[in-house]
């Protein structure tokens, strides 16, 4: 059973617009959430995280929103740039346990 | 500062052959991990080592063994490769298990088992 779900395998967004990537989780014990970005032929890199005690965390063009009651988080990228084209993985953990990854969403930024 | 390095980058094996994937980190991290990534499956944890001298099973450990050789190195061994082990393997390290923001990944090893 998938504990972390990214239901959109791919997403295309015009350059300059907002990209919104979604993630749902089922395990209510998760209390820390992360987003990773992955380019082809490279390993994933950490992008941004959020603790369950917050509902928003912002870092430059990237903002993560957490809705605990809906067990849903989203990553907003504003404005989207060509270099944002990559696969984005949502991940969740209860900090001292293993981290669980979603299947990823491939983001295409269109010129 | 190389971060996390993996060798080899690419390998083709025949069913039943064995091989060891090597991983090393130069960040003085305590914890190290092996993941596999399959199309449409995301990253799944195979084994991890919370600290030097310890190893634990992850989500998909069957068919693999690991060795934490020292603080820097963590190897993954396939004793008898099977086509189902065709995948991209990523090694990662972090300061410790709970400090996930410090998890850095290597570039991956592409393994094809025929």
């Amino acid at each position: 059973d998938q504990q972390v779900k990214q239901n959109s395998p791919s997403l295309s967004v015009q350059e300059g617009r907002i990209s919104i990537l979604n993630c749902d989780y089922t395990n209510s014990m998760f209390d820390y959430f992360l987003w990773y970005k992955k380019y082809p032929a490279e390993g994933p890199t950490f992008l941004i995280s959020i603790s369950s005690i917050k509902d928003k965390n912002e870092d430059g063009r990237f903002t993560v929103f957490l809705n605990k009651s809906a067990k849903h988080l989203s990553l907003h990228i504003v404005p989207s740039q060509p270099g944002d084209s990559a696969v984005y993985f949502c991940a969740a953990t209860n900090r001292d346990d293993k981290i669980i990854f979603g299947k990823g969403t491939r983001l295409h930024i269109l010129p | 500062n190389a971060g996390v390095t993996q060798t080899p980058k690419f390998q083709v094996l025949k069913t039943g052959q064995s091989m060891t994937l090597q991983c090393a980190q130069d960040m003085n991290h305590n914890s190290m991990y092996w993941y596999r990534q399959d199309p449409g499956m995301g990253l799944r944890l195979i084994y991890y080592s919370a600290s030097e001298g310890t190893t634990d099973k992850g989500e998909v450990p069957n068919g693999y063994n690991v060795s934490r050789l020292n603080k820097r190195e963590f190897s993954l061994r396939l004793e008898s490769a099977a086509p189902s082990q065709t995948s991209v393997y990523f090694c990662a390290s972090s300061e410790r298990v709970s400090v996930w923001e410090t998890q850095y990944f290597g570039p991956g090893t592409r393994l094809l088992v025929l």
Side-chain angles (χ1 to χ4, degrees):
Chain A
D1 182 35
Q2 264 189 282
Q3 297 187 65
V4 178
K5 301 178 185 179
Q6 293 179 257
N7 292 321
S8 299
S10 67
L11 176 68
S12 294
V13 174
Q14 209 76 34
E15 182 180 353
R17 301 282 188 124
I18 182 172
S19 294
I20 300 175
L21 293 90
N22 293 304
C23 178
D24 297 295
Y25 61 96
T26 58
N27 189 339
S28 58
M29 297 298 291
F30 289 146
D31 62 3
Y32 200 72
F33 305 88
L34 307 96
W35 286 93
Y36 287 81
K37 178 178 182 178
K38 184 184 178 306
Y39 292 119
E42 294 183 11
T45 55
F46 168 71
L47 189 58
I48 192 169
S49 61
I50 188 166
S51 165
S52 60
I53 62 173
K54 295 185 175 182
D55 54 18
K56 176 183 174 181
N57 188 28
E58 193 171 350
D59 183 2
R61 297 185 297 113
F62 301 91
T63 303
V64 56
F65 295 92
L66 176 62
N67 182 333
K68 282 178 293 187
S69 61
K71 293 193 178 70
H72 177 83
L73 62 154
S74 59
L75 174 68
H76 292 212
I77 306 173
V78 186
S80 300
Q81 298 176 353
D84 297 329
S85 292
V87 176
Y88 290 80
F89 290 102
C90 172
T93 179
N94 63 356
R95 267 294 191 178
D96 292 326
D97 200 357
K98 298 175 283 292
I99 189 170
I100 305 295
F101 286 83
K103 293 183 178 182
T105 296
R106 184 177 299 277
L107 177 64
H108 301 272
I109 304 302
L110 306 171
Chain B
N1 190 342
V4 179
T5 57
Q6 293 182 235
T7 55
K9 284 186 168 52
F10 180 71
Q11 184 73 45
V12 179
L13 290 179
K14 294 181 180 177
T15 297
Q17 287 185 319
S18 63
M19 80 161 294
T20 300
L21 282 66
Q22 308 285 356
C23 174
Q25 52 93 7
D26 62 3
M27 296 173 282
N28 201 35
H29 283 169
N30 291 299
S31 303
M32 297 186 73
Y33 315 84
W34 276 105
Y35 293 91
R36 61 179 286 175
Q37 186 194 8
D38 302 298
M41 291 297 293
L43 289 154
R44 293 183 292 170
L45 184 65
I46 304 170
Y47 270 95
Y48 69 103
S49 171
S51 60
E52 187 178 354
T54 70
T55 59
D56 285 287
K57 295 179 180 178
E59 189 182 351
V60 288
N62 291 344
Y64 305 95
N65 286 302
V66 290
S67 295
R68 184 75 184 266
L69 304 168
N70 47 56
K71 191 171 186 179
R72 289 187 63 247
E73 299 173 288
F74 188 39
S75 63
L76 178 72
R77 183 160 179 83
L78 286 70
E79 291 290 351
S80 179
S84 61
Q85 294 179 304
T86 292
S87 189
V88 181
Y89 291 85
F90 290 101
C91 177
S93 70
S94 68
E95 283 184 14
R96 55 184 185 276
V97 168
S98 59
V99 189
W100 294 109
E101 305 89 335
T102 66
Q103 183 172 207
Y104 290 88
F105 286 80
T109 294
R110 290 186 173 274
L111 177 66
L112 174 62
V113 183
L114 302 175

